[in-house]
Amino acid sequence: FLVFYLVMIYSDYAGYPFPTAPPVDPFAKIRVDDCGKTKGCFRYGKPGCNAETCDYFLSYRRIGADVEFELSADTDGWVAVGFSSDKKMGGDDVMACVHDDNGRVRIQHFYNVGQWAKEIQRNPARDEEGVFENNRVTCRFKRPVYVPREETIVDLHLSWYYLFAWGPAIQGSITRHDIDSPPVSERVVSIYKYEDIFMPSAAYQTFSSPFCLLLIVALTFYLLMGTP
């Protein structure tokens, strides 16, 4: 009887696959046409770059009691934003999206102690999602606007300088950022003001330095005057 019962059960399910977990929603691409309108953006890299082509990209927008951040950088390791009171690394609340050895992108919380980033177990991030594609780390997460006063987590309703950084990771642990002097917001950032700010990378700053402008003027004068 037991064998017959098992055969009947098998025959009932024969040809029907076992239930599978629902597919994971793909990571929604970061929209840049909303920059300066419904969210604030920072772009670092080539003029006209977007979230998929900038060396570094960050956006922020308020959603109820939270701020949603989107980060993306040309790296296979990590991308981060730090909230600073003085434009300098040290004593900063940092959120980083880290690509680990299993291919996942995890959102981690750090606190800068001098030039060293210490991971903090209390992580204010929620609704986390991230992806590693085309040699880029991209992520999206929310964190509360207001938190009870604590040294390692700042209140985002206050204005802070934003530190932008990215770099390699070793076995899911962040290492030194890619460039010696990562970009910093020129002025403090308010989550209540949406702007679209572009910062040219070093490769596109060459002709904007005072020395290069002076050299261009001198060469122009030389060409106009001719040689004796």
Side-chain angles (χ1 to χ4, degrees):
F1 179 81
L2 178 60
V3 173
F4 176 79
Y5 181 71
L6 292 175
V7 169
M8 289 299 293
I9 291 177
Y10 177 79
S11 63
D12 285 342
Y13 285 95
Y16 295 91
F18 287 102
T20 57
V24 177
D25 291 336
F27 186 92
K29 288 188 176 182
I30 296 176
R31 297 170 55 93
V32 296
D33 52 348
D34 295 334
C35 292
K37 302 173 184 176
T38 60
K39 65 184 179 183
C41 297
F42 287 90
R43 315 185 200 201
Y44 177 84
K46 181 180 180 179
C49 67
N50 58 36
E52 298 175 7
T53 58
C54 287
D55 294 354
Y56 177 99
F57 177 92
L58 173 140
S59 79
Y60 63 91
R61 64 170 176 158
R62 302 182 314 279
I63 302 178
D66 294 329
V67 180
E68 181 184 74
F69 289 96
E70 298 173 313
L71 284 78
S72 181
D74 183 14
T75 180
D76 63 359
W78 58 272
V79 55
V81 57
F83 308 103
S84 174
S85 60
D86 59 6
K87 283 191 174 185
K88 299 177 182 178
M89 185 175 176
D92 313 308
D93 175 357
V94 177
M95 302 299 299
C97 305
V98 185
H99 176 220
D100 65 21
D101 289 348
N102 295 319
R104 299 171 302 182
V105 174
R106 298 173 292 110
I107 286 72
Q108 297 177 259
H109 181 219
F110 294 89
Y111 183 75
N112 284 341
V113 181
Q115 300 295 307
W116 175 60
K118 175 184 178 183
E119 185 174 1
I120 305 299
Q121 293 305 312
R122 185 186 176 197
N123 191 339
R126 53 192 180 214
D127 295 343
E128 310 166 17
E129 52 180 328
V131 66
F132 177 68
E133 289 180 342
N134 302 320
N135 202 51
R136 293 190 71 87
V137 174
T138 305
C139 66
R140 182 182 292 114
F141 62 90
K142 299 185 184 76
R143 61 174 272 174
V145 173
Y146 175 80
V147 294
R149 179 155 182 84
E150 182 180 317
E151 183 182 18
T152 62
I153 304 179
V154 302
D155 290 335
L156 292 177
H157 75 278
L158 301 175
S159 297
W160 305 90
Y161 292 104
Y162 281 19
L163 311 179
F164 312 116
W166 62 98
I170 299 177
Q171 296 182 345
S173 297
I174 68 173
T175 60
R176 180 175 171 78
H177 39 69
D178 271 351
I179 56 180
D180 291 335
S181 299
V184 182
S185 63
E186 186 64 28
R187 54 185 181 274
V188 292
V189 179
S190 168
I191 63 166
Y192 301 101
K193 184 177 182 181
Y194 295 155
E195 297 181 276
D196 186 9
I197 297 176
F198 171 74
M199 298 175 288
S201 62
Y204 301 95
Q205 295 175 5
T206 305
F207 294 105
S208 63
S209 68
F211 173 77
C212 288
L213 290 175
L214 181 61
L215 180 60
I216 292 172
V217 171
L219 287 173
T220 303
F221 179 77
Y222 176 79
L223 291 173
L224 289 175
M225 295 299 296
T227 57

